[in-house]
Amino acid sequence: MRVYLDNNATTMVDPEAFELMKPFFCEKYGNPNSLHKFGSETHPALRTALDQLYTGLNAKDSDDIVVTSCATESNNWVVKGIYFDKIATGEKKRIITTAVEHPAILATCKFLEKYGVDLTVLDVNGDGIVTPDQLRAVMDENVALVAIMSANNETGMIFPIKELAKVAHEYGALFHTDAVQAVGKIKIDVQDLDVDFLSFSAHKFHGPKGVGALFIKNSMPLSSLLHGGEHMGGRRSGTLDVPGIVGMGKALELANKFMDYEHSHVRRLRDKLEDALLQIPDVSVVGKKDQRVPNTILASIKGVEGEAMLWDLNRAGIAASTGSACASETLESNPIMEAIGADKELAHTALRLSLSRFNTEEEIDYAIEHITKAVNRLRGISSTFAYAPEWHKSGL
Ligand code: PLP
């Protein structure tokens, strides 16, 4: 059996979205900016996709959503755009973010420190989030941008974005949220959240890879990252990826359609898997179930090195992760676990399991069986884990 439990890294393209993308590779492949029929015949599908995006996020206008190549680009664009517009001009000095942001935010902010940005990186509390009071404590009128994610890629913890944006606005700062792990998993309404910028990426909600977007409230001015042609109203140059945009629009529409299913079926399977893991002695899971997106588990399994666990699971056909895919080649301990205050040993024993609406009950039963087997095998050969007698008696 092959079981994919790494949906926070990327997801399968929904077959319905894929079907809609197909004609735009070999039939309707014109450049939408061209004046001939080959170009103009792409327009209806592009318009539908952009409508699906702004309806899906409840943006006021389709011009408020600018398509990019990925959320890494969207995140870079916001941070660097604000740097050029507000900090390099001397208007303001500061950017505030959190220690658990994706590197697309954190590394960009750190890069800009060299160019004079006064950066504040907030630690998360024991629950793995930042509270409005924590943010208020470091705010002043000199803050140009607050960048805080909507949900964490490792823990799945949901941040109180509406309240955090309100605090930023009280001090005249702009507010960005990286909603990559939230879109498609929890309802996102940009007007209700009142954020100024929001990044998302199609491949995290069953759309294609290589296409994302940035929501910009009221199409406010923001220096471009990519200069060139007049694509996307001159805001983001580069020939439009028509099949990608078509796939992203449909994928968002489908994700919203399946939102209740995500919170019933996916949540039930996630909870079943989590409860089974917690039956194993010395296993803990980060964050309360209700405060997380419904698909994610970040577990720590004492005495079991995360990488060794992945090896055993991979042999059984199960895909999981020890941390975000972007950092997994470094074999470093999980930085999010460290940021939320777990000790070094726990940080090395992280296992992230992330489900999707395509997972079945049989797959979860299979995963429970093989994770349990792997824990037993790896603890059995661990030189550091004391094999508890009651554990032994449980017959595992
Ligand atoms: N932000 C978060 C929270 C993510 O989880 C990821 C990908 O893992 C990204 C940004 C980067 O997204 P993309 O792959 O579209 O560049």
Side-chain angles (χ1 to χ4, degrees), residues 8-9 69-73 75 101-105 149 151-153 178-181 200-204 210-212 324-326 352:
N8 286 8
S69 64
C70 58
T72 298
E73 181 190 326
N75 287 349
E101 296 301 306
H102 188 273
I105 287 288
M149 63 194 343
N152 184 263
N153 38 312
D178 172 345
V180 168
Q181 297 290 346
F200 61 97
S201 184
H203 76 104
K204 305 287 186 175
V211 60
S324 74
C326 326
R352 183 184 71 182

Side-chain angles (χ1 to χ4, degrees), residues 20-332:
L20 280 186
M21 293 168 66
K22 280 182 185 168
F24 298 96
F25 289 101
C26 301
E27 296 160 43
K28 301 180 184 180
Y29 51 82
N31 185 327
N33 281 44
S34 300
L35 296 178
H36 45 65
K37 181 95 191 315
F38 284 80
S40 61
E41 69 190 5
T42 64
H43 292 180
L46 270 179
R47 177 77 0 241
T48 304
L50 290 172
D51 284 352
Q52 284 163 330
L53 294 180
Y54 91 94
T55 312
L57 298 177
N58 195 29
K60 269 199 196 135
D61 195 292
S62 58
D63 287 346
D64 293 353
I65 292 181
V66 183
V67 173
T68 62
S69 64
C70 58
T72 298
E73 181 190 326
S74 307
N75 287 349
N76 267 264
W77 181 12
V78 173
V79 176
K80 290 176 181 162
I82 294 297
Y83 167 75
F84 283 118
D85 295 344
K86 306 254 178 220
I87 298 180
T89 54
E91 192 185 325
K92 302 216 176 189
K93 278 202 172 98
R94 301 180 58 203
I95 293 181
I96 298 180
T97 190
T98 81
V100 297
E101 296 301 306
H102 188 273
I105 287 288
L106 262 185
T108 309
C109 290
K110 288 190 174 153
F111 167 76
L112 288 174
E113 270 189 301
K114 285 186 272 182
Y115 296 92
V117 168
D118 177 355
L119 179 66
T120 303
V121 180
L122 287 170
D123 283 330
V124 288
N125 65 14
D127 286 333
I129 60 160
V130 165
T131 63
D133 285 345
Q134 274 176 278
L135 177 60
R136 189 172 282 107
V138 294
M139 285 299 298
D140 63 26
E141 312 294 332
N142 239 324
V143 179
L145 179 72
V146 176
I148 300 183
M149 63 194 343
S150 298
N152 184 263
N153 38 312
E154 312 282 355
T155 61
M157 287 298 290
I158 300 168
F159 287 66
I161 292 306
K162 187 173 175 173
E163 293 75 17
L164 291 164
K166 191 161 175 272
V167 174
H169 292 153
E170 281 165 21
Y171 290 82
L174 292 166
F175 190 89
H176 167 257
T177 188
D178 172 345
V180 168
Q181 297 290 346
V183 171
K185 295 174 189 158
I186 54 174
K187 183 95 198 90
I188 296 290
D189 177 332
V190 287
Q191 292 191 59
D192 179 54
L193 293 174
D194 197 23
V195 293
D196 300 293
F197 307 105
L198 179 142
S199 304
F200 61 97
S201 184
H203 76 104
K204 305 287 186 175
F205 53 86
H206 303 291
K209 294 169 189 50
V211 60
L214 180 66
F215 160 78
I216 305 177
K217 184 160 80 185
N218 299 332
S219 302
M220 76 173 85
L222 178 70
S223 275
S224 292
L225 188 64
L226 302 187
H227 295 91
E230 283 303 303
H231 316 90
M232 287 270 124
R235 311 208 72 179
R236 194 275 181 189
S237 300
T239 303
L240 296 185
D241 168 8
V242 180
I245 297 168
V246 167
M248 175 161 69
K250 189 67 189 175
L252 183 60
E253 186 186 80
L254 290 169
N256 282 333
K257 182 174 145 197
F258 284 109
M259 190 62 74
D260 287 345
Y261 189 71
E262 183 84 20
H263 287 259
S264 52
H265 170 81
V266 178
R267 162 91 198 239
R268 190 181 62 73
L269 292 184
R270 190 275 308 263
D271 290 357
K272 178 176 182 179
L273 179 55
E274 182 166 332
D275 293 343
L277 284 179
L278 289 170
Q279 292 294 308
I280 303 172
D282 290 317
V283 171
S284 56
V285 170
V286 179
K288 296 191 184 74
K289 283 178 182 148
D290 283 339
Q291 293 169 2
R292 277 182 269 142
V293 286
N295 78 321
T296 306
I297 303 171
L298 182 65
S300 167
I301 306 173
K302 203 160 193 259
V304 176
E305 192 69 34
E307 296 293 324
M309 183 60 156
L310 285 197
W311 171 260
D312 272 27
L313 293 184
N314 193 35
R315 285 198 335 168
I318 300 168
S321 156
T322 57
S324 74
C326 326
S328 60
E329 278 170 20
T330 61
L331 288 190
E332 279 168 7

